[in-house]
Amino acid sequence: MKNRQSISSGAARNHHAGCGTRCSVFLALLGLLVALAACAPVEESRSTFALGTVCTVSLFENGTNDLYTALFDRLAAIETVMSANELADGRISELSRVNQNAGIRPVAVSGELITVLSRALFFAEITGGAFNPAVGPLVAVWNIGAENARLPEEHEIAAALALVNHRDVVVDAANQTVYLKREGMRLDLGGIAKGYAADELVTILKEADVRRAVIDLGGNIYAHGSKTPTQKWRIGIQNPLSPRGEYLAVEEAADKTLVTSGVYERFFEENGICYHHILDPKTGYPADSGLLSVTVIAENSLDADALSTALFVLGYEQGSSLLSRFPGPGIEAVFVFSDATVKRASTVPAEQ
Ligand code: FAD
Ligand code: MG
């Protein structure tokens, strides 16, 4: 035993002696890398796959590569809280933990999940459940966007629908817990969390004194600041019937978000019918409101995201009526109909 100890400590000494030289080489290389990184040109934009989509940020002022990293780290952190899917590293999101404990017990969650879920439930109330964060069982049965998406049987849709009720979601803000009253319930924040993420990135940009930037989280755009002191950003609204990059309209925006919900990114076809991913919690089927897309233009991306999904489900008549009653001025919606014609609606302008 003693022998073994002395042999191993001798080996350790040798190891340390070799390490001394290797460490200094390593430190020198590290220093060189840090120096190179410091003078590496700042990227014009950075893209990564997050929140189930390609996310791109372009910083046009005061950008640094560290800032890009901080922004994308924030997206990754939001994903670990709000994803309804399995995370890439095998961990379980806070939202999934709530879902796993449906009908069993309340789950302690972060303040930001309480914030987003509470706002989602507010939209569920004012839309009569057309926007519904409890839509998870339906999303799971359709699985649109995944390779195994398929037309479910009637009885599967009925069983899922029976579990979709936002009033069975209990948010206890004081104790910071969320409880789903019935087993099998499932929250899905896919219709609102990208908006929250965009707002969070804008907060980071403001703290870093970046006044010109464009954030694109897979169709959820934030035009931060303006392009030049005299020119706003110009953001195109995709023509859903044309190849990507062909626009129906171009909006001028400064400090505004443009959020689109449409049929043309996530769908599958069966027997010549297109089944897309925005589901109507009244029927259990993809919303059939005569629309191809709705774009909401606003200052707050969280609200714009929820509204774009809600207005898509409600359709033009009910959607524009909801918008005219929605508190807060300055929100505009662009409805694109099946024949690519366009109608606009907005909240009531503020009194002068
Ligand atoms: P939106 O109209 O904003 O939202 C539509 C989405 O909201 C649907 O896909 C569904 O998830 C949900 N929804 C459907 N009907 C309703 C309704 N009536 N009311 C409320 N919500 C409804 N995708 C992946 O494929 N893999 C992933 O790992 C993944 N992770 C994600 C993690 C996070 C945190 C987020 C926010 C999204 C993630 N996504 C993932 C993408 C997500 O599944 C949606 O496809 C995406 O958010 C849809 O956004 P949209 O802007 O296209 O449409
Ligand atoms: Mg949305």
Side-chain angles (χ1 to χ4, degrees), residues 53-54 194 216-221 258-261 295:
T53 188
V54 178
K194 285 197 297 182
D216 180 356
L217 309 180
N220 196 313
I221 292 172
L258 281 88
V259 182
T260 301
S261 287
T295 298

Side-chain angles (χ1 to χ4, degrees), residues 60-194:
F60 296 100
E61 189 187 272
N62 292 345
T64 64
N65 292 339
D66 284 349
L67 180 57
Y68 277 114
T69 302
L71 293 164
F72 284 104
D73 283 352
R74 186 74 188 97
L75 287 186
I78 291 171
E79 189 157 357
T80 63
V81 173
M82 299 188 196
S83 178
N85 302 81
E86 205 174 295
L87 299 172
D89 58 8
R91 276 188 297 162
I92 294 177
S93 72
E94 277 185 20
L95 193 82
S96 297
R97 196 160 292 124
V98 171
N99 290 341
Q100 285 173 354
N101 284 286
I104 303 173
R105 65 175 71 86
V107 175
V109 297
S110 59
E112 65 179 347
L113 186 55
I114 298 274
T115 302
V116 176
L117 185 55
S118 301
R119 198 65 181 157
L121 291 171
F122 161 78
F123 280 101
E125 276 300 321
I126 66 165
T127 61
F131 178 87
N132 202 323
V135 74
L138 264 186
V139 173
V141 97
W142 282 93
N143 223 356
I144 298 173
E147 271 174 21
N148 53 349
R150 64 178 175 91
L151 181 58
E153 303 284 342
E154 288 284 341
H155 70 88
E156 293 176 290
I157 293 177
L161 260 184
L163 291 164
V164 179
N165 184 349
H166 62 278
R167 294 199 170 154
D168 286 336
V169 180
V170 184
V171 175
D172 181 343
N175 291 308
Q176 233 168 278
T177 60
V178 179
Y179 176 49
L180 306 181
K181 282 186 183 167
R182 287 182 298 143
E183 194 184 332
M185 283 182 71
R186 221 178 122 106
L187 295 173
D188 185 306
L189 296 175
I192 189 169
K194 285 197 297 182

Side-chain angles (χ1 to χ4, degrees), residues 4 27 39 46 59 74 95 134 141 160 175 180 194 215-216 220 226 282 290 301 304-305 314 319 327 329:
R4 225 187 288 158
L27 285 175
C39 50
R46 192 185 283 187
L59 304 176
R74 186 74 188 97
L95 193 82
V141 97
N175 291 308
L180 306 181
K194 285 197 297 182
I215 297 163
D216 180 356
N220 196 313
S226 55
K282 280 211 166 74
S301 204
D305 195 357
L314 291 171

